Amino acid sequence: SQTIHQWPATLVQPVGSPLSLECTVEGTSNPNLYWYRQAAGRGLQLLFYSVGIGQISSEVPQNLSASRPQDRQFILSSKKLLLSDSGFYLCAWSERGHTQYFGPGTRLTVL
Amino acid sequence: GQNIDQPTEMTATEGAIVQINCTYQTSGFNGLFWYQQHAGEAPTFLSYNVLDGLEEKGRFSSFLSRSKGYSYLLLKELQMKDSASYLCAVREGSTLGRLYFGRGTQLTVWP
């Protein structure tokens, strides 16, 4: 069966510091991968999606970036965090045209 | 893009039935999903509708009317553990199948 992992689970970072969040999927090949952010009291916002290694599409302009160095690895990064980057970051995977399944998430607080 | 609307909050008592509505306006449609999200946790998949009608899965059922841009999630025999946010999501018609999420309906079940 397929599983999805995210780490870290919780992170507190100062403004201006870098960020790296990692997501890995097991038990499937060539999945679609997604990064979402959920701010307090708001809906899920799609940040990036990827249909294959090295293929990244960005949904909203921001100071975040994403990379997919391996088939089942998806990384979310920032060079300098802003206060507004605080939120719950969720990675999700799907097979082509099928249901998206979410990882456990990373709660990021920027102080 | 997509415009998805669902009530912000609902309350009900244990053992009761509750219906959570979702309306959407879409430029392309390839299915509607319902997810459950407990506080502090990731969303988990509940149901999927792509054709008109009712899909039943245990205590949960989901209905879709594509002509009306309308769906509902029906929860029967409510339990305290059903207290959660319920997210309606519409999938666009491309091969990527990206999801557009509503802001979620926070359901509180009282004893």
Side-chain angles (χ1 to χ4, degrees):
Chain A
S1 64
Q2 299 86 6
T3 55
I4 178 168
H5 305 278
Q6 285 186 246
W7 62 90
T10 306
L11 193 59
V12 180
Q13 292 285 95
V15 169
S17 64
L19 173 74
S20 180
L21 303 181
E22 190 163 341
C23 170
T24 58
V25 182
E26 297 176 356
T28 186
S29 295
N30 199 26
N32 285 350
L33 296 173
Y34 311 83
W35 277 113
Y36 289 88
R37 177 170 60 202
Q38 189 175 38
R42 302 185 65 179
L44 281 166
Q45 179 187 32
L46 180 64
L47 301 175
F48 300 95
Y49 61 88
S50 172
V51 299
I53 296 174
Q55 300 177 61
I56 309 294
S57 296
S58 174
E59 283 294 302
V60 292
Q62 61 220 334
N63 68 323
L64 301 172
S65 62
S67 62
R68 185 170 176 175
Q70 301 180 40
D71 181 44
R72 289 168 289 178
Q73 184 185 29
F74 205 21
I75 297 172
L76 183 70
S77 304
S78 174
K79 292 181 179 178
K80 286 186 177 181
L81 283 169
L82 306 173
L83 286 174
S84 58
D85 291 324
S86 293
F88 192 35
Y89 287 82
L90 291 155
C91 179
W93 76 274
S94 73
E95 294 178 349
R96 296 286 183 266
H98 290 276
T99 302
Q100 289 186 26
Y101 296 95
F102 288 87
T106 295
R107 189 160 302 281
L108 172 66
T109 303
V110 182
L111 301 176
Chain B
Q2 320 280 347
N3 185 25
I4 301 168
D5 193 34
Q6 51 181 131
T8 304
E9 295 179 332
M10 298 184 72
T11 60
T13 54
E14 260 188 314
I17 300 173
V18 70
Q19 178 175 310
I20 303 174
N21 296 324
C22 173
T23 58
Y24 63 89
Q25 293 174 316
T26 177
S27 56
F29 179 84
N30 190 22
L32 188 141
F33 294 77
W34 285 96
Y35 286 82
Q36 180 190 59
Q37 186 177 23
H38 285 101
E41 298 181 7
T44 56
F45 169 70
L46 285 179
S47 70
Y48 166 64
N49 297 70
V50 67
L51 299 176
D52 290 351
L54 190 67
E55 294 283 342
E56 296 186 81
K57 195 184 288 187
R59 294 189 298 114
F60 293 3
S61 303
S62 57
F63 171 84
L64 175 67
S65 169
R66 288 172 296 171
S67 62
K68 295 181 179 178
Y70 169 69
S71 173
Y72 67 72
L73 180 69
L74 192 71
L75 293 77
K76 303 175 185 176
E77 302 169 17
L78 281 173
Q79 303 174 11
M80 297 290 288
K81 67 179 182 179
D82 297 329
S83 292
S85 182
Y86 291 85
L87 310 177
C88 173
V90 173
R91 184 168 64 188
E92 67 172 7
S94 74
T95 54
L96 172 67
R98 65 159 293 173
L99 292 180
Y100 293 85
F101 283 86
R103 294 193 171 207
T105 298
Q106 182 62 47
L107 173 67
T108 302
V109 180
W110 299 102

